[in-house]
Amino acid sequence: MKWLIVCMLLLSGCVQPRILERQGIITAVGFDKKGKLYEGASVMLSFQTGRSSMSEVIEATNKPGKGFRQALEARTSHDLASGQLRVVVYGKELAEEEGIFKMTDSLQRDASIGSLVYLTVSEPSAKQVIKSKKHEDIPDIGTYLYRLIEENLRSESLLAATLHEFVHSYYDVGKDPVLPYLSMRDDKPIIEKVALFRGDKFVGTVRLDESFYIKILASEYNVGLKNITVSRDDVAPLLIKKEGKKVNIVINEIKTKRKIKLISQKPVPHFRVTVKIKAEILEMSEKMKPITQANIRTLERAIEKQMKKEVEKLLNKLKAYKTDPIGFGEIYDHSVRGLQLTDKQWYKLYDDAKIDVDMQVSILRTGTID
């Protein structure tokens, strides 16, 4: 017992005391390319005796990794702590020209940084996003960006965007990462698009309504909301008025199951995608005749037709960008026995791949129809 007490006293003597007022908690960092160096900005949250916390942006230009950390420390009297880092922003130019793997690799090697840090791409520069003064009633821009991404993940508009998931997709053969794409409106950072990658390089964007389809094709989707604009001709038997060309339908409480099957390898990879969707109608922009089973089937067919059209358009867009966030390559690799597919081989096959889409929609409830 005596030895135990002695050991505890010796160990407690080794712990470095940390004075709260001297700590600078980093909540977000942003990186841009400046010539051969990186330009970075970091949000530092500090605490003062008798007063609430305050945030400050410190900037530096240096080499990545520890060189950048040292450059930041030279610009503050606080001890910088990165254990509360929530979000890392990469400027579009940096992500497009150089790729971001080298910088994400530095992050994952830092034991004080968790793998659940969110990564994003921005246009304008990451520095402008980090220096934004508009972040609602939230004390610092780092926490605002974290909550912004969290909210969009909860509403199922975005795919998961953590450091862990990015690195996982980067290393997986036949699957590319996606990240939230930040833009500015009235000097406030918002998410309107999703950034597409080929490997670790940014190659383009899709709108949030298009990323809905990436999400339901890449994984199962539960809860959420989707606005569909269908042709008036496809739902004409249900409508009271005859004017107009389009009808807007909002579906809610969406649950999906998807299956992607490789039908044949030659002459080109041929996949069949089947997506089963169960949902309720939340709103409709036109007054409808009394609900009957036949009416519901007409609505289901109209939604299936429009969704199939939008999915096929998205798949063509992804192929044009030469990116595969859904993971057709991964499915191809797992389906062909004895194959050790490389990314280079898959991108060549992906160009010519044929993909059939079958959407099956079931409306469980019609809800409120305006």
Side-chain angles (χ1 to χ4, degrees):
M1 188 64 177
K2 287 180 181 176
W3 283 107
L4 180 62
I5 293 170
V6 170
C7 287
M8 289 176 68
L9 288 171
L10 288 172
L11 286 172
S12 63
C14 297
V15 176
Q16 292 291 326
R18 292 191 175 185
I19 301 167
L20 186 61
E21 287 77 13
R22 289 186 57 185
Q23 295 294 303
I25 310 295
I26 296 176
T27 58
V29 293
F31 297 101
D32 295 295
K33 193 77 189 292
K34 188 178 183 183
K36 291 184 179 179
L37 299 177
Y38 295 96
E39 194 173 50
S42 173
V43 184
M44 184 187 73
L45 203 60
S46 59
F47 304 90
Q48 297 180 337
T49 308
R51 287 196 284 174
S52 57
S53 61
M54 59 173 287
S55 69
E56 181 187 350
V57 175
I58 48 177
E59 300 173 50
T61 302
N62 211 321
K63 293 179 182 176
K66 289 188 177 179
F68 182 72
R69 172 69 178 264
Q70 287 164 357
L72 286 177
E73 284 174 343
R75 285 160 175 76
T76 177
S77 62
H78 289 79
D79 299 330
L80 293 182
S82 50
Q84 290 299 312
L85 180 64
R86 303 291 186 87
V87 178
V88 181
V89 185
Y90 299 101
K92 173 179 167 275
E93 197 179 335
L94 167 66
E96 194 169 33
E97 291 179 5
E98 188 170 301
I100 62 172
F101 181 73
K102 265 197 302 189
M103 306 189 84
T104 56
D105 192 51
S106 298
L107 289 176
Q108 65 170 340
R109 290 176 194 283
D110 187 338
S112 66
I113 296 175
S115 61
L116 298 181
V117 171
Y118 289 134
L119 308 183
T120 67
V121 177
S122 73
E123 185 183 18
S125 69
K127 188 168 82 171
Q128 281 176 273
V129 170
I130 294 293
K131 292 182 79 173
S132 169
K133 300 290 183 190
K134 289 193 177 177
H135 35 81
E136 300 176 348
D137 57 348
I138 299 168
D140 70 286
I141 186 71
T143 307
Y144 166 75
L145 293 175
Y146 176 79
R147 291 188 190 175
L148 179 70
I149 296 168
E150 278 275 292
E151 179 56 33
N152 278 276
L153 284 169
R154 264 201 299 274
S155 65
E156 301 269 342
S157 303
L158 291 178
L159 281 82
T162 62
L163 171 63
H164 170 78
E165 273 131 356
F166 181 88
V167 172
H168 195 273
S169 296
Y170 174 79
Y171 278 117
D172 277 356
V173 174
K175 190 172 185 181
D176 292 304
V178 293
L179 292 178
Y181 191 77
L182 295 171
S183 52
M184 302 278 275
R185 184 177 292 174
D186 298 328
D187 200 32
K188 180 181 174 185
I190 56 170
I191 299 173
E192 286 183 310
K193 295 178 182 177
V194 168
L196 303 171
F197 283 78
R198 188 182 190 202
D200 71 330
K201 286 192 175 181
F202 168 82
V203 292
T205 60
V206 292
R207 301 184 309 273
L208 281 182
D209 63 310
E210 292 175 303
S211 83
F212 166 85
Y213 292 115
I214 296 180
K215 182 131 188 170
I216 66 172
L217 294 179
S219 61
E220 290 191 357
Y221 182 100
N222 292 304
V223 306
L225 186 144
K226 174 72 177 161
N227 189 358
I228 309 278
T229 303
V230 300
S231 163
R232 177 174 284 271
D233 292 342
D234 291 336
V235 290
L238 316 181
L239 304 177
I240 295 172
K241 292 182 181 177
K242 302 296 179 188
E243 300 88 17
K245 291 183 178 178
K246 301 285 182 183
V247 176
N248 290 321
I249 302 171
V250 180
I251 59 174
N252 190 29
E253 297 294 332
I254 303 164
K255 295 185 190 302
T256 70
K257 282 191 176 178
R258 73 99 168 92
K259 187 176 180 182
I260 300 179
K261 189 174 180 182
L262 177 68
I263 299 171
S264 62
Q265 299 173 48
K266 294 180 179 178
V268 294
H270 184 184
F271 296 91
R272 177 178 294 135
V273 177
T274 305
V275 182
K276 294 181 179 178
I277 299 176
K278 291 181 180 177
E280 66 173 25
I281 301 290
L282 185 65
E283 286 181 15
M284 196 164 159
S285 63
E286 300 282 336
K287 286 192 176 176
M288 204 172 80
K289 292 176 184 175
I291 302 295
T292 64
Q293 196 57 41
N295 288 351
I296 290 175
R297 187 61 200 132
T298 302
L299 268 178
E300 288 172 345
R301 281 199 301 267
I303 296 171
E304 284 168 2
K305 182 181 173 183
Q306 184 60 28
M307 282 189 158
K308 178 178 164 68
K309 190 175 165 186
E310 292 178 10
V311 169
E312 288 172 344
K313 190 176 174 185
L314 170 75
L315 292 175
N316 288 333
K317 194 172 184 177
L318 297 177
K319 285 177 79 174
Y321 280 128
K322 300 183 185 300
T323 179
D324 180 14
I326 292 158
F328 286 105
E330 199 175 46
I331 293 163
Y332 183 86
D333 191 27
H334 294 167
S335 305
V336 181
R337 187 176 293 177
L339 181 68
Q340 290 189 328
L341 191 69
T342 64
D343 280 323
K344 191 176 177 182
Q345 288 171 332
W346 172 240
Y347 288 131
K348 199 172 175 182
L349 290 167
Y350 185 51
D351 273 346
D352 300 320
K354 186 179 173 191
I355 303 168
D356 296 334
V357 178
D358 179 22
M359 304 296 292
Q360 299 175 15
V361 176
S362 300
I363 295 174
L364 304 179
R365 290 176 294 277
T366 52
T368 305
I369 298 178
D370 296 326

